[in-house]
Amino acid sequence: MAFFGGLGKGGLQIKIRLTGTPESHPRDIFYLRHRPSWKVRKNVFTALKSHRINDAASASAAPTLAPGAPGQQQQQQQQQQQYGNQYQDGQPQQYYHDGGGEYGGNGNNNNNNGNNNNNNNPNVGKRIMVYSCHHDTEGEVTLQMPHGKKLDHMGIQVKFFGRIDMEAGAHEGRPHYDFISLSKELVPPGSLFDVRTIPFNFRGVEKIHESYHGRNVSVKYFVLVSVQRQWLPPITQEHEVLVQIPGIEPPINEPIKMEVGIEDCLHIEFQYEKRCYHLHDVIVGKINFLLVRIKIKHMELAVIRRETSGEG
């Protein structure tokens, strides 16, 4: 395909960088330990063990609680141990999702330089960041041409999409649906030389869904830069923006109690200490065998994650 060299990018390199870090926006940007995915690790306890070791190392540097009444201080310690960073200074904070795996991976799908780089913190470039639904998507686009080369274009645009991707087998004829589609012009028609950095922003955009990557359905937000060319297909580069919708702990979180079984043979009662759980919580409950008139070989408990998709 070297004969059709004009169909390529002409040496143009596009880099998309989102501004903001968890240090500059502690309530809107957070680190993830791995990319959200439906796939589960073969040994999740290995990742959990390393997570606990990292938490233990960082706990020594964490600020201690303010002095107060002994009972109140003990309650605050229990809350912090149960919910982690959800409680600050004894006040309940917002719920946020956490990847629950190991650090590492790249922060984008099609761009090697999408993450913010901080010379003082080498881990910033290695971690993946997730943004609150209230955070404005803004950053900058860097267009770089090799020295001595020029690229004529018909305009450069930056677009912001919110897209639901569906598998062709489950949803034939409709592979994806864009619930957000915004476009802004970065550069009017002209020519590109050397290096040029252009800021962009999409403010006040309502993000009604969380980022999700499942087996049959995926919900993603991404920034797309498109360089239009005459008689040639556009040069594009995209960068995914992971979005989460924070929730508040319900004021009333009553326990659950239900009974199952076979009439006059087996009655089993399940009890859970509460209805809603945080991702860092441990599910605690009891199983009571109220009536047993049959032989029981064994009993198993399982936590099942189920994906349901469809239209309507």
Side-chain angles (χ1 to χ4, degrees):
M1 301 299 289
F3 179 76
F4 301 97
L7 296 178
K9 295 185 177 182
L12 176 64
Q13 295 184 3
I14 305 175
K15 299 179 182 180
I16 305 173
R17 188 180 72 89
L18 300 180
T19 57
T21 61
E23 290 77 17
S24 61
H25 299 79
R27 288 185 170 271
D28 292 331
I29 307 177
F30 306 90
Y31 287 124
L32 286 183
R33 293 178 176 85
H34 64 84
R35 287 189 61 82
S37 175
W38 176 271
K39 297 181 180 179
V40 180
R41 298 174 182 271
K42 294 183 179 179
N43 188 356
V44 296
F45 298 102
T46 302
L48 182 62
K49 181 179 179 181
S50 62
H51 173 42
R52 289 180 176 176
I53 294 176
N54 294 334
D55 288 348
S58 60
S60 59
T64 57
L65 294 172
Q72 182 180 4
Q73 186 174 1
Q74 183 179 4
Q75 183 180 4
Q76 292 177 354
Q77 292 177 351
Q78 293 177 355
Q79 290 173 346
Q80 288 186 347
Q81 292 176 358
Q82 182 178 5
Y83 296 101
N85 295 333
Q86 174 197 340
Y87 280 82
Q88 297 179 2
D89 300 331
Q91 300 297 326
Q93 303 295 323
Q94 293 175 324
Y95 276 57
Y96 292 96
H97 291 270
D98 197 348
E102 300 171 353
Y103 292 115
N106 53 9
N108 45 45
N109 51 351
N110 293 325
N111 187 12
N112 295 329
N113 248 348
N115 280 335
N116 296 322
N117 294 324
N118 191 337
N119 296 330
N120 297 328
N121 188 358
N123 293 326
V124 172
K126 300 179 181 179
R127 298 184 185 179
I128 303 171
M129 289 182 287
V130 61
Y131 300 83
S132 168
C133 61
H134 308 294
H135 184 72
D136 294 330
T137 302
E138 54 188 4
E140 59 185 21
V141 176
T142 302
L143 306 170
Q144 183 176 359
M145 288 292 299
H147 181 69
K149 288 191 176 183
K150 179 183 72 170
L151 177 66
D152 297 327
H153 61 87
M154 303 302 295
I156 302 176
Q157 294 179 336
V158 58
K159 303 177 182 180
F160 182 72
F161 288 96
R163 177 171 295 178
I164 299 177
D165 287 322
M166 294 168 282
E167 292 291 339
H171 307 273
E172 295 183 359
R174 196 179 185 185
H176 67 265
Y177 163 69
D178 293 338
F179 57 92
I180 295 178
S181 180
L182 302 174
S183 177
K184 291 185 178 181
E185 185 180 29
L186 287 180
V187 180
S191 301
L192 288 176
F193 303 90
D194 297 334
V195 181
R196 185 170 183 181
T197 300
I198 310 165
F200 69 90
N201 63 77
F202 293 95
R203 297 176 180 173
V205 180
E206 184 180 5
K207 306 176 184 68
I208 58 177
H209 302 297
E210 278 193 335
S211 296
Y212 174 76
H213 295 271
R215 290 183 175 179
N216 301 315
V217 179
S218 296
V219 180
K220 68 175 184 178
Y221 300 84
F222 60 94
V223 176
L224 176 69
V225 176
S226 176
V227 181
Q228 303 295 329
R229 297 183 294 175
Q230 190 175 15
W231 315 117
L232 293 175
I235 302 174
T236 60
Q237 180 76 17
E238 72 176 51
H239 174 68
E240 184 177 2
V241 182
L242 297 177
V243 175
Q244 69 173 2
I245 301 177
I248 304 297
E249 182 183 5
I252 301 177
N253 200 1
E254 69 279 0
I256 301 177
K257 183 178 180 180
M258 60 181 182
E259 295 183 5
V260 296
I262 306 173
E263 186 177 0
D264 297 332
C265 292
L266 179 65
H267 288 179
I268 303 177
E269 179 185 70
F270 294 88
Q271 295 182 5
Y272 303 92
E273 62 177 7
K274 54 186 177 180
R275 181 178 298 273
C276 301
Y277 287 86
H278 188 268
L279 291 180
H280 288 168
D281 287 348
V282 178
I283 300 177
V284 179
K286 294 190 299 182
I287 301 176
N288 299 322
F289 292 84
L290 304 180
L291 177 63
V292 179
R293 292 180 179 176
I294 58 177
K295 293 183 179 180
I296 300 177
K297 185 176 181 180
H298 68 276
M299 180 177 179
E300 296 180 353
L301 293 177
V303 178
I304 301 176
R305 181 173 60 173
R306 180 173 298 168
E307 179 184 274
T308 304
S309 62
E311 298 182 3

